[in-house]
Amino acid sequence: MEQTLRIVTDLIPNDMASFNWMTTNSVSAILRPQIDPSLFDRLNDVLAEHWHENPLARHFERTGDTRALTWTDVETDPTWREGALYQQLYVPLGITQQLVVRLPSPPGTVAGLALNRTQQPFDRRDRAVLTVMGRHIGALLDSTAERTAMRSMLGHHGWRSMLVDDHGRIIDPHVATDGELAEIIGGILRRTVGDRRNGTLAPTDPEDVEWRGERFAVVVAPAAVPPHVAFVRPVSKADDTQSDTSCLTALGLSPRERQVAVLLSSGATNRQIAEALDISVGTVKKHLQRIFVALGAETRTAAAAIVVRHMS
């Protein structure tokens, strides 16, 4: 990844480049140029706790957008710069401009390549170059140590990742070829290729499929040119809550909101709900806001009581 950061820096001048892999409760980062290890650890702690304050992280998590964008492209409330993330991470480094492209990653995670400057804004040419590069970096990572680290982090959350061609055939040397799985992934790809967002391809929502007699969730992150990246994991017990919540449909809750509501009624915290469903804490909070409105509840206890009453 350090070589990739060097190549990107040659094409798009910047003062600091970073590869970031962010999940519900952890962050991994690689910087170029490197900084003092003690300072890196301190700043990484800030990033791990406050990364959701970054308007780009929120945008990519919410939309799956694959374009390279800057803060000013998505910033709707500039007061975020008064928060802990900007003041404790970017101000000490002198960073005032950031350009980020999201890399293929499954739900509940945000992987991205970030370029930072202390003064000069990024222009349209910078955005275009990083957008194109972002679609190929996933494949470049395949032969690097960082790819192995990414697989390890995915495995911790139950996901397997693999590179596939236009037909869904697995072309990843680290994953055994499977004709049935290739047919499933190929079908998702065919339905997705025409689904463009402003000229880019967005990752699919998780699809519940049958494979080898078991249920799996499959997410495909299509690229402009192959290889594409597919993510597969067994459906967890938390996912099965959807099949048991039909009685909540009349309350106006979506399938995901019903899952969140059931976990809420069991006493789970926001972080526990996020980890069970492979989504961020911020997304959990948004679901809970809609759930409270739909149920006419003002507190977690009241909402949980309503859910339990309808489930019983």
Side-chain angles (χ1 to χ4, degrees):
M1 176 52 75
E2 291 184 0
Q3 182 179 3
T4 300
L5 293 178
R6 178 182 60 77
I7 293 172
V8 172
T9 297
D10 289 342
L11 293 172
I12 308 174
N14 62 83
D15 298 304
M16 177 173 287
S18 67
F19 166 74
N20 304 304
W21 179 275
M22 298 169 288
T23 68
T24 305
N25 53 12
S26 66
V27 169
S28 296
I30 299 173
L31 293 182
R32 185 182 188 276
Q34 297 181 359
I35 60 177
D36 178 79
S38 60
L39 175 60
F40 175 84
D41 290 341
R42 186 163 66 251
L43 295 179
N44 202 55
D45 288 342
V46 174
L47 182 61
E49 184 174 355
H50 299 286
W51 68 269
H52 273 102
E53 295 177 16
N54 190 324
L56 285 168
R58 294 198 301 269
H59 173 79
F60 290 131
E61 184 183 32
R62 184 180 69 254
T63 67
D65 203 333
T66 56
R67 296 171 297 169
L69 299 169
T70 67
W71 282 332
T72 54
D73 291 328
V74 300
E75 187 179 66
T76 57
D77 183 5
T79 60
W80 79 273
R81 297 177 186 249
E82 301 171 7
L85 180 68
Y86 191 84
Q87 294 298 320
Q88 297 178 28
L89 176 63
Y90 297 116
V91 169
L93 295 173
I95 293 171
T96 61
Q97 311 288 334
Q98 186 174 79
L99 175 67
V100 177
V101 65
R102 178 172 183 168
L103 303 177
S105 58
T109 65
V110 177
L113 186 64
L115 305 183
N116 303 281
R117 288 178 178 170
T118 58
Q119 294 296 331
Q120 183 181 0
F122 293 96
D123 58 24
R124 294 177 61 183
R125 178 261 180 194
D126 298 330
R127 290 172 172 81
V129 171
L130 191 59
T131 294
V132 172
M133 291 197 68
R135 298 171 184 170
H136 300 278
I137 289 175
L140 293 175
L141 288 174
D142 187 57
S143 60
T144 68
E146 282 73 30
R147 178 71 174 180
T148 301
M150 288 173 63
R151 289 183 185 278
S152 176
M153 285 183 281
L154 282 168
H156 178 70
H157 292 272
W159 291 95
R160 294 172 55 197
S161 67
M162 57 200 71
L163 301 177
V164 299
D165 65 12
D166 283 329
H167 303 286
R169 291 188 293 254
I170 300 169
I171 57 175
D172 196 324
H174 302 285
V175 180
T177 301
D178 186 295
E180 182 182 354
L181 181 59
E183 185 176 346
I184 293 171
I185 294 174
I188 296 174
L189 269 171
R190 286 189 291 274
R191 295 194 299 273
T192 305
V193 163
D195 181 19
R196 294 177 177 269
R197 179 185 288 112
N198 296 326
T200 65
L201 290 167
T204 65
D205 291 327
E207 292 202 20
D208 195 342
V209 304
E210 290 284 340
W211 176 41
R212 295 180 178 176
E214 298 183 35
R215 291 173 56 208
F216 288 82
V218 177
V219 175
V220 177
V225 294
H228 313 284
V229 183
F231 303 96
V232 180
R233 73 167 173 82
V235 172
S236 68
K237 292 182 179 179
D239 295 311
D240 283 330
T241 58
Q242 179 173 336
S243 62
D244 301 325
T245 60
S246 58
C247 55
L248 300 179
T249 305
L251 298 176
L253 302 181
S254 69
R256 178 63 93 187
E257 289 165 357
R258 295 200 297 269
Q259 290 178 304
V260 172
V262 171
L263 289 169
L264 171 69
S265 69
S266 71
T269 65
N270 287 2
R271 187 168 297 282
Q272 289 170 334
I273 294 173
E275 292 176 351
L277 300 178
D278 275 334
I279 58 179
S280 71
V281 173
T283 299
V284 171
K285 291 179 180 178
K286 292 176 183 177
H287 284 313
L288 288 176
Q289 289 174 354
R290 290 192 288 267
I291 290 170
F292 287 174
V293 171
L295 302 186
E298 297 183 358
T299 66
R300 297 173 71 92
T301 301
I306 295 172
V307 171
V308 170
R309 186 166 63 249
H310 278 79
M311 293 281 291
S312 60

